[in-house]
Amino acid sequence: MKKFLAVLIGLLMATAQVSAMALELGARVGEMSLGAEPYTLRIEGATLLEGDTSKGVARFGKLYFHFDATKQSDEAASSFGGSDVANTVPVFVFEGRTQIYPISCDDGREFWLLATETGGGESSNVIGFRDGKWVKYFDTLDVKRRKLLGWDYYLQRFYADGDAIIFDYEHWETKKICRLRYEWDEAAQWFGVEVLYLEDAPTSSSNVK
């Protein structure tokens, strides 16, 4: 009987380690883009703005955005996370447009997708709160820097599918798709990435941006 219980407990633990986490990508809740000189940001959707559009703190629900447009050449001039700037993640927003999407989980955790459109290639960051700190789980631009995705591919869409966040990039000439699949690893408590090249464009899906 003891041996049977030990086996049963082992099976339950193994099941818990590999259990999937359902992700749901929400509608855009905010946006910012670089305004005209003297160095301001256009900020939409903020539930609170302290300071002004050149330097301050904007809030989007539970997410805080700290920025200083007068130092826009500094990578640390903009960051997202908590109300204390010391507990934030640097994300550069002073090129193109950055849109904010919440990601909810069936276990109550929350992530945030920050999608930046730039002339040098789209950068999508996913950040979240972990062990008392805000962390960056991944940045899709890293895949291009590692030459796993060519610079001649452009972001077509992104969406959540089960326990994964998926980004489909289309080649500007051949129209072939390169898919980045960031799947949640429950044991590691982190996202892993898989790069897939598809011959045909993907079919339509719900929860698509």
Side-chain angles (χ1 to χ4, degrees):
M1 184 66 178
K2 290 182 179 179
K3 184 176 180 180
F4 172 77
L5 288 175
V7 171
L8 179 59
I9 292 172
L11 288 172
L12 289 173
M13 290 178 65
T15 302
Q17 290 176 353
V18 299
S19 61
M21 177 176 66
L23 302 171
E24 180 70 23
L25 184 63
R28 180 178 65 85
V29 296
E31 180 179 306
M32 60 278 305
S33 58
L34 189 62
E37 293 187 12
Y39 307 122
T40 60
L41 281 175
R42 299 187 185 96
I43 300 176
E44 299 178 10
T47 55
L48 176 68
L49 177 61
E50 297 178 353
D52 54 38
T53 54
S54 62
K55 181 179 181 180
V57 180
R59 183 178 178 182
F60 302 90
K62 298 179 181 178
L63 183 69
Y64 287 83
F65 169 53
H66 302 257
F67 62 94
D68 186 349
T70 65
K71 300 179 180 178
Q72 62 168 301
S73 59
D74 185 348
E75 291 291 330
S78 55
S79 61
F80 292 84
S83 57
D84 183 356
V85 69
N87 191 10
T88 57
V89 178
V91 177
F92 191 72
V93 302
F94 299 108
E95 183 181 4
R97 177 180 64 161
T98 298
Q99 300 182 83
I100 304 172
Y101 299 88
I103 303 172
S104 58
C105 311
D106 60 2
D107 64 358
R109 280 178 287 188
E110 294 178 317
F111 303 99
W112 296 86
L113 171 62
L114 311 172
T116 301
E117 303 168 4
T118 72
E122 300 85 356
S123 173
S124 296
N125 295 268
V126 166
I127 67 173
F129 194 68
R130 171 178 170 157
D131 298 330
K133 293 181 61 178
W134 282 85
V135 298
K136 181 188 295 186
Y137 285 96
F138 64 81
D139 180 352
T140 58
L141 197 58
D142 291 339
V143 177
K144 286 194 172 185
R145 290 170 179 153
R146 290 158 54 194
K147 299 183 179 179
L148 299 177
L149 171 63
W151 293 95
D152 46 0
Y153 281 82
Y154 298 90
L155 184 63
Q156 183 188 69
R157 66 176 193 164
F158 53 85
Y159 56 98
D161 183 15
D163 60 350
I165 304 170
I166 296 173
F167 301 84
D168 284 332
Y169 288 80
E170 183 179 270
H171 190 275
W172 73 275
E173 185 175 19
T174 67
K175 305 304 179 184
K176 291 183 178 180
I177 298 296
C178 178
R179 173 171 294 172
L180 307 186
R181 180 182 174 86
Y182 289 88
E183 187 170 1
W184 179 255
D185 185 330
E186 187 67 22
Q189 292 289 291
W190 206 262
F191 285 93
V193 62
E194 182 180 15
V195 183
L196 304 169
Y197 282 89
L198 311 177
E199 289 297 324
D200 301 316
T203 57
S204 61
S205 172
S206 60
N207 208 8
V208 172
K209 303 301 174 186

